[in-house]
Amino acid sequence: MAEDADKDQKTEDPTDKKKRDAVGEGDVLQSRELAAALVISMGAVWLFAMGPMIMEAIGTMLGEGLRFDAADLEHFDPAARALRLLAVVLLPVAALFGLTLLAAIGAPAMLGSLGFRGSALAFKANRINPMTGIKRIFSMTGVIELLKSFAKIALIGAVGWFVLKGASDRIMAIGGEELVPAISELGSIFVWLVIVMAGALMAIAMVDVPAQFLQRLGRLRMTKQEVKDEGKQADGSPEIKQAIRRKQYEMARGSARKAVAEATVILVNPTHFAVALRYRPGYDAAPVLLARGRGEMARAIRDAAGEAGVPVLSYPALARAIYFTSRTGDIIREDLYIAVATILAFVFNLDRAMAEGVKQPEVAVPEGALYDEEGRKENI
């Protein structure tokens, strides 16, 4: 029972596949608080940078809208006049739209969640299920969101109250000023209020983003059994694995065939490793490694040797020694010369040895060249 309970507990970090699937389904890291903070911040930047321009544009638009002359009466065209008046404020409004769009794109981009996901827009019946909505409202996530909303309202309200309280004397003095200076003073107070409130929202977002990250990580956590099942799926079916091995073998055989055709002898492990050696008296200064391989490559070398009629001899320790100490195209290591020379002498007189029933010679591999199948040196 305890083991079954442990299997049902989501204690494992999500795999890369789990994360990719979640992103494809629209479950990405997102923070509404960060998005709101960026939008308000961009609005504050717009007010600070273009506030005087928008006020001047509005004044110009009102002045032009209330001014008429004889030409306007003779050629009355309300549509053209409306377009001319709107063109005055078009630039500031377009700047506000651009900054807001930039903020809307920047929020998911900062969280690494930028991108279109059509599956997130797909119809899901549970979205219109009243019971699902009620469960979501009264779930722990719903309670947390409610508490966050109360905290956000309290913080922003407190910040706004302190800002307005600090500017109360300036606000009271506006009543005694002329219209244009009064509007300018009121605008500066409003801009400062928006900037401070944007800062408060950004502070909330800096707390919300880590919280959203932890919540999403909790949603994506997996049980040990889910990790095992995913690993089995990743390995693929036996048919797929067999097809992959077949493809690997065909590629290995194609690359091994030419090299083995020039080989003098093939040394094998007998199945896991294979090395193809060439030695031409008067041409090669020492035996040369033409090809080496393990697994499918080793099998390809053996099969190519059978087709080319190259002798294949089983010398496990020596085959591993050459495999792990030499590179293709290089001569073998010097301390292996005697062992290989003994085998080559046997191969050069192979017909007579077979006729006389002579067995292949035993060779000694130096202690410094003894390796196991994982490439670790063996201690004698």
Side-chain angles (χ1 to χ4, degrees):
M1 295 294 291
E3 293 181 359
D4 293 339
D6 291 340
K7 289 181 179 179
D8 295 334
Q9 292 182 356
K10 296 189 175 184
T11 58
E12 305 301 309
D13 290 335
T15 61
D16 292 339
K17 182 179 182 302
K18 177 76 171 181
K19 293 177 182 177
R20 290 194 302 270
D21 292 345
V23 170
E25 295 172 0
D27 186 355
V28 296
L29 181 61
Q30 54 185 340
S31 171
R32 287 178 291 183
E33 315 303 335
L34 179 61
L38 287 178
V39 170
I40 300 298
S41 299
M42 289 300 180
V45 171
W46 178 81
L47 286 173
F48 181 78
M50 308 199 71
M53 180 184 292
I54 191 64
M55 294 300 296
E56 182 180 352
I58 292 174
T60 301
M61 183 179 68
L62 291 175
E64 292 292 332
L66 298 175
R67 186 181 299 115
F68 295 93
D69 54 21
D72 292 324
L73 295 176
E74 292 177 3
H75 306 285
F76 183 66
D77 188 352
R81 187 172 182 82
L83 288 175
R84 286 200 305 270
L85 295 177
L86 289 176
V88 176
V89 296
L90 182 61
L91 178 60
V93 172
L96 176 61
F97 176 78
L99 289 173
T100 304
L101 181 62
L102 181 63
I105 296 174
M110 291 174 63
L111 300 177
S113 304
L114 185 63
F116 177 77
R117 301 166 186 89
S119 59
L121 303 177
F123 174 76
K124 295 181 180 179
N126 60 353
R127 291 178 178 175
I128 60 175
N129 187 343
M131 295 304 298
T132 302
I134 293 173
K135 290 180 181 179
R136 184 167 55 249
I137 292 173
F138 292 99
S139 65
M140 181 58 66
T141 302
V143 173
I144 292 174
E145 292 297 324
L146 180 63
L147 294 176
K148 280 169 49 181
S149 299
F150 282 135
K152 181 169 62 175
I153 293 172
L155 177 60
I156 294 176
V159 169
W161 183 79
F162 277 111
V163 171
L164 293 176
K165 182 180 179 182
S168 59
D169 294 338
R170 295 168 59 190
I171 295 174
M172 295 298 294
I174 288 176
E177 298 180 0
E178 294 183 1
L179 180 60
V180 175
I183 292 177
S184 177
E185 181 68 15
L186 188 61
S188 64
I189 294 173
F190 179 72
V191 170
W192 173 243
L193 177 62
V194 172
I195 291 174
V196 173
M197 294 181 70
L201 282 173
M202 191 61 70
I204 294 174
M206 293 302 99
V207 176
D208 182 63
V209 170
Q212 293 296 331
F213 176 81
L214 293 176
Q215 288 183 21
R216 182 172 182 268
L217 182 62
R219 291 196 305 270
L220 298 182
R221 283 193 179 277
M222 307 170 66
T223 64
K224 287 182 169 48
Q225 187 60 42
E226 287 175 338
V227 174
K228 291 180 180 178
D229 292 342
E230 185 176 296
K232 292 179 181 178
Q233 293 177 359
D235 290 340
S237 64
E239 293 79 8
I240 295 177
K241 289 190 288 185
Q242 179 64 27
I244 292 174
R245 284 197 297 266
R246 180 64 183 174
K247 186 67 175 179
Q248 292 174 340
Y249 170 75
E250 291 176 354
M251 294 175 62
R253 187 173 181 179
S255 61
R257 186 179 290 112
K258 182 178 179 180
V260 171
E262 301 179 9
T264 305
V265 65
I266 308 296
L267 305 182
V268 298
N269 191 31
T271 58
H272 296 86
F273 293 86
V275 293
L277 300 177
R278 183 194 71 198
Y279 180 68
R280 296 176 184 173
Y283 179 79
D284 295 318
V288 178
L289 178 63
L290 296 180
R292 63 172 185 165
R294 64 189 304 175
E296 294 301 322
M297 186 63 181
R299 184 160 74 96
I301 292 174
R302 293 195 307 272
D303 291 348
E307 295 175 359
V310 179
V312 178
L313 302 179
S314 177
Y315 285 94
L318 184 57
R320 291 196 301 267
I322 296 173
Y323 180 89
F324 287 114
T325 61
S326 304
R327 293 183 301 179
T328 302
D330 292 345
I331 62 175
I332 64 172
R333 210 165 73 173
E334 188 175 353
D335 58 351
L336 301 176
Y337 282 2
I338 296 177
V340 173
T342 302
I343 296 172
L344 290 173
F346 173 75
V347 170
F348 289 148
N349 296 280
L350 186 59
D351 292 338
R352 188 179 67 180
M354 293 180 63
E356 297 177 357
V358 178
K359 296 182 179 180
Q360 66 183 58
E362 295 183 1
V363 297
V365 178
E367 293 184 6
L370 291 174
Y371 293 87
D372 63 13
E373 292 188 356
E374 300 301 324
R376 296 184 294 261
K377 285 193 173 183
E378 294 182 344
N379 297 320
I380 304 301

